[in-house]
Amino acid sequence: MVTPDVLGPVAGRVPDVERIAVLRANALGDFIFVLPALDALRAAYPEAEIVLLGAPWHAKLWRDRPGPVDRVMVVPPAPGIRHLEPDEPESSTDDFLTAARKERFDLALQVHGGGANSNPFVGALGARVTAGLRAEDAPPLDRWIRYVYYQHEVVRYLEVAALVGAPATTVVPTLTVTDADRAEAAEVLGPPQRPRVALHPGATDTRRRWPAERFAGVARDLVGDGYEVLVTGTPAEQEVVDRVVAAAGVPVRPQVGTLSLGGLAGCYAGCELVISNDTGPLHLAAAVGTATVGVYWVGNLINVANMLRGRHRPIASWTVLCPVCGVDCTPGIYPHRPGDGECPHRDSFVTDVPVVEVVEAARELLHPEPGAP
């Protein structure tokens, strides 16, 4: 039976469900987008145990954290599933699948990409019913929906949840900030002397990085407005954080590797605003309830930008040609169009976003007019 829902059709619920596996073992931002689907599963199957098949960092994040995930099983590194983390001992896929089959999952959901690698993995869990995404090169699951690249990620995974009778309860990813998160942030940062704003100038894909000097310009304006400015980054982003600090020419506080992921959530929850490239910390900030200004390449704007505008301002770059060689980098998704859509360059695609647009958006959110959120 299929019933209507605000986001489309919803299949009938699977009877007698006690345990649900959900495969989502990639990076921070990717995980934030699946939270509404997990909320939908929790509402549809309130008595079932929801087990996230994730990475070691998921297990740390969800330890003693309220939310729709009851337990994390760490999946082994495997092609198309996840990479080996630093200092992580090697583990066997066969051993994991043997242990997973003993769990006797009633449902297993694949929300981990197109499914070329992940669908066989989910199929091997031995669940009564499997459901998920399917690209053209992927094998089918019991219930599946076509993976089409340009779709908002939150809605994509909500459609998968609907395949097993779990209609959307929200489209807003929400992550609970714990007392431990706030305590860690307070211990590292100390009490704020002025309202805080955080900048995050890094991103794993350098094509999504707005120039460090532009972030520095934003920092100067906001320090001049009376804000304490933090510049956050991972250890791998030390160089870009250093460039922002050096170019700002005003006192800012770099925070590189000083906070755990939970501590970073606590830090952002205590900020008035987070300004960032399109990367995991930006989506984390929104999920803990903080206002955001994000700099996006237009393709990523379609897939991952926050859908709300009361407290969030995504600013788009409309660049689609490689700034080095001029290749159109969209036809890889549209094969009937000219060009091959790929090139070896990783120069920024978002340099056309001016500082003034980011500063204006920040000031509007920091000082809303009467009647605005």
Side-chain angles (χ1 to χ4, degrees), residues 46-62:
E47 304 302 322
E49 181 185 32
I50 298 178
V51 181
L52 176 68
L53 309 186
W57 74 264
H58 292 102
K60 295 177 183 177
L61 179 68
W62 282 102

Side-chain angles (χ1 to χ4, degrees), residues 240-263:
V240 69
V241 170
D242 289 345
R243 285 171 53 200
V244 173
V245 173
V250 293
V252 297
R253 297 183 60 186
Q255 299 295 320
V256 177
T258 59
L259 294 160
S260 70
L261 185 54

Side-chain angles (χ1 to χ4, degrees), residues 136-193:
E136 293 184 0
D137 61 346
L141 298 169
D142 295 325
R143 304 179 183 185
W144 58 271
I145 190 168
R146 180 66 71 196
Y147 178 91
V148 179
Y149 182 80
Y150 279 129
Q151 179 182 20
H152 199 284
E153 297 289 298
V154 168
V155 177
R156 189 192 307 279
Y157 308 128
L158 283 169
E159 286 200 283
V160 173
L163 292 174
V164 295
T169 59
T170 180
V171 295
V172 179
T174 303
L175 186 73
T176 298
V177 181
T178 67
D179 290 342
D181 297 337
R182 296 182 192 277
E184 180 187 341
E187 181 179 357
V188 171
L189 301 172
Q193 303 303 312

Side-chain angles (χ1 to χ4, degrees), residues 59-268:
K60 295 177 183 177
L61 179 68
W62 282 102
R63 189 176 298 129
D64 302 321
R65 185 177 303 277
V69 174
D70 295 305
R71 180 161 54 98
V72 175
M73 289 182 67
V74 176
V75 300
I81 304 298
R82 73 174 184 88
H83 299 294
L84 188 71
E85 293 187 4
D87 302 320
E88 179 188 354
E90 294 189 10
S91 54
S92 163
T93 298
D94 289 341
D95 290 346
F96 176 85
L97 291 174
T98 298
R101 285 189 283 267
K102 292 179 181 177
E103 297 273 348
R104 301 179 67 85
F105 289 113
D106 298 292
L107 297 179
L109 272 63
Q110 188 281 100
V111 285
H112 192 75
N117 299 103
S118 48
N119 283 5
F121 187 92
V122 166
L125 295 172
R128 281 199 291 127
V129 176
T130 61
L133 301 161
R134 184 190 181 194
E136 293 184 0
D137 61 346
L141 298 169
D142 295 325
R143 304 179 183 185
W144 58 271
I145 190 168
R146 180 66 71 196
Y147 178 91
V148 179
Y149 182 80
Y150 279 129
Q151 179 182 20
H152 199 284
E153 297 289 298
V154 168
V155 177
R156 189 192 307 279
Y157 308 128
L158 283 169
E159 286 200 283
V160 173
L163 292 174
V164 295
T169 59
T170 180
V171 295
V172 179
T174 303
L175 186 73
T176 298
V177 181
T178 67
D179 290 342
D181 297 337
R182 296 182 192 277
E184 180 187 341
E187 181 179 357
V188 171
L189 301 172
Q193 303 303 312
R194 294 170 290 161
R196 280 177 176 155
V197 171
L199 311 182
H200 191 91
T204 303
D205 188 339
T206 53
R207 293 173 297 180
R208 288 189 273 118
R209 288 189 180 183
W210 199 43
E213 294 70 25
R214 310 272 179 90
F215 276 103
V218 173
R220 282 193 297 274
D221 283 347
L222 294 180
V223 168
D225 289 348
Y227 291 91
E228 178 185 7
V229 175
L230 310 178
V231 186
T232 59
T234 66
E237 295 164 342
Q238 181 74 62
E239 184 269 339
V240 69
V241 170
D242 289 345
R243 285 171 53 200
V244 173
V245 173
V250 293
V252 297
R253 297 183 60 186
Q255 299 295 320
V256 177
T258 59
L259 294 160
S260 70
L261 185 54
L264 187 65
C267 165
Y268 286 162

